[in-house]
Amino acid sequence: MAKRSRLLFPSKRRRAGPASVAALMSVMARSTTQAITAASKITKAATKTTTCPARKTAAKPAPRARGGAGRFTAGTHAGASGSRTYKLFMPSAAGEEGAALPLLVMLHGCGQTPDDFAKGTRMNLLAEELGVIVLYPAQPRSAHPNRCWNWFRASDQGRDSGEMEVLAGMVRAIQARHPVDPRRIYVAGLSAGASCAMLLAHAYPEIFAAVGCHSGLPINAARDKGSAVLAMKQGWPGTRLVDAIPTIVFHGEEDKVVTPRNGRLVALRALETYRPLATVEKRGAVADGRTYIRTQHRIGRGRPYVEHWLIKGSGHAWSGGSRTGRFVDPSGPDASREMLRFFLKHRNKRRLS
């Protein structure tokens, strides 16, 4: 059984006990209120004291990623709305002359760091195999006590403001500095990171060719701490989307932190932006692992534009991956490989800015 973890909000305990769902959500609501209140005070203090002009710092080299020939480096990006550190994986293919590679932005969940997220998802190993650059932005405790991306806060949900502005600026800076194919930039995340990934992709549709949402919520499912808890517990459809962006969704059927209804709602909102698509459902199983239902929506027998995976028996954790990271379910299908398979079928045809 996958570890149950509160990746959208902080918690004093790492694992859910045998308490009932109602008791679980009560504890989550109390911890959520305390954490978001603390985060609000921290953010206000930071806003008052930050007067330095924005600057960008070049990445500094770090040890090579284990199991591959690529390099895993650390850096910092500063923008008008603040700064964030990051880790960047460069596959060995980046050294080939004239190579323009895809870029994947990976947004971690609460209680995680870029290093932990990279270990758990095994994304760097797959990126070396497929020739993909991977960017892992880091959320500091100064922005949220439990390192959560502030998906539920109105000031961090729109274009050119808050965390959206910082993350988009970071992607542009990496794109300008490295051999990135501008038509193959993708974003994915887990839990709070997944909700943030959805916001980022639709705030900047000219940047992102596709988005992946693992255990997250629809765009604008919440606007404050109270509505966030309600949306996590019951599910909320959020707002209608304007841009058609290919979307892949993973969600554990036994997720007690973010109801699986939210995963279905993310897929339904994405479908609304397309003309009627053919639906193909497949039931499968991982050898000695979990069963799943994969629902693809595509034109005829072509590539899928919306894809939804429901993992039977899985909780609030990344499907597949390695036990060396936190908040993973190794018994499930490999979400990392399936997301890359989905992403690499799509290119951004919008006018690039």
Side-chain angles (χ1 to χ4, degrees), residues 250-268:
F250 277 79
H251 218 111
E253 188 181 44
E254 299 300 322
D255 192 333
K256 299 299 188 295
V257 178
V258 179
T259 176
R261 183 168 181 256
N262 281 307
R264 294 191 293 271
L265 289 169
V266 170
L268 287 172

Side-chain angles (χ1 to χ4, degrees), residues 147-162:
R147 303 184 189 278
C148 305
W149 297 100
N150 292 295
W151 63 275
F152 52 85
R153 197 163 61 188
S155 60
D156 290 298
Q157 293 176 339
R159 185 182 176 95
D160 298 333
S161 67

Side-chain angles (χ1 to χ4, degrees), residues 110-167:
C110 296
Q112 291 184 309
T113 64
D115 290 284
D116 177 58
F117 199 34
K119 288 179 183 178
T121 61
R122 296 187 306 111
M123 193 61 82
N124 289 356
L125 294 176
L126 292 171
E128 173 64 21
E129 175 187 330
L130 299 174
V132 178
I133 301 171
V134 189
L135 172 65
Y136 299 87
Q139 180 74 315
R141 293 193 184 280
S142 58
H144 192 287
N146 203 33
R147 303 184 189 278
C148 305
W149 297 100
N150 292 295
W151 63 275
F152 52 85
R153 197 163 61 188
S155 60
D156 290 298
Q157 293 176 339
R159 185 182 176 95
D160 298 333
S161 67
E163 291 175 358
M164 296 298 101
E165 186 274 333
V166 176
L167 291 171

Side-chain angles (χ1 to χ4, degrees), residues 53-71:
R55 70 171 184 267
K56 298 177 181 178
T57 303
K60 55 185 179 182
R64 289 188 173 189
R66 184 179 298 176
R71 295 179 296 112

Side-chain angles (χ1 to χ4, degrees), residues 112-331:
Q112 291 184 309
T113 64
D115 290 284
D116 177 58
F117 199 34
K119 288 179 183 178
T121 61
R122 296 187 306 111
M123 193 61 82
N124 289 356
L125 294 176
L126 292 171
E128 173 64 21
E129 175 187 330
L130 299 174
V132 178
I133 301 171
V134 189
L135 172 65
Y136 299 87
Q139 180 74 315
R141 293 193 184 280
S142 58
H144 192 287
N146 203 33
R147 303 184 189 278
C148 305
W149 297 100
N150 292 295
W151 63 275
F152 52 85
R153 197 163 61 188
S155 60
D156 290 298
Q157 293 176 339
R159 185 182 176 95
D160 298 333
S161 67
E163 291 175 358
M164 296 298 101
E165 186 274 333
V166 176
L167 291 171
M170 182 185 295
V171 172
R172 289 189 177 114
I174 296 298
Q175 181 182 355
R177 198 178 302 142
H178 299 284
V180 174
D181 183 345
R183 296 192 180 277
R184 293 188 293 167
I185 301 177
Y186 314 101
V187 60
L190 171 64
S191 195
S195 302
C196 184
M198 292 298 299
L199 288 165
L200 186 62
H202 285 272
Y204 298 91
E206 76 278 12
I207 295 179
F208 298 99
V211 58
C213 180
H214 199 311
S215 309
L217 292 90
I219 288 178
N220 295 333
R223 302 290 285 181
D224 53 37
K225 58 187 179 184
S227 58
V229 174
L230 186 64
M232 290 165 61
K233 180 179 180 180
Q234 299 181 359
W236 195 254
T239 56
R240 183 177 289 272
L241 304 178
V242 175
D243 296 287
I245 299 178
T247 304
I248 182 169
V249 181
F250 277 79
H251 218 111
E253 188 181 44
E254 299 300 322
D255 192 333
K256 299 299 188 295
V257 178
V258 179
T259 176
R261 183 168 181 256
N262 281 307
R264 294 191 293 271
L265 289 169
V266 170
L268 287 172
R269 280 303 194 197
L271 275 172
E272 289 177 339
T273 63
Y274 290 96
R275 294 176 297 173
L277 300 173
T279 300
V280 179
E281 184 177 286
K282 174 186 176 181
R283 294 174 182 266
V286 176
D288 299 321
R290 301 198 185 281
T291 59
Y292 59 85
I293 301 175
R294 184 189 71 184
T295 306
Q296 293 182 322
H297 303 275
R298 60 197 191 193
I299 298 176
R301 296 184 179 181
R303 60 190 173 185
Y305 287 89
V306 179
E307 188 166 314
H308 177 265
W309 292 67
L310 183 65
I311 316 303
K312 299 286 187 175
S314 188
H316 196 67
W318 188 272
S319 183
S322 169
R323 295 183 188 277
T324 59
R326 301 175 65 204
F327 313 126
V328 297
D329 179 9
S331 300

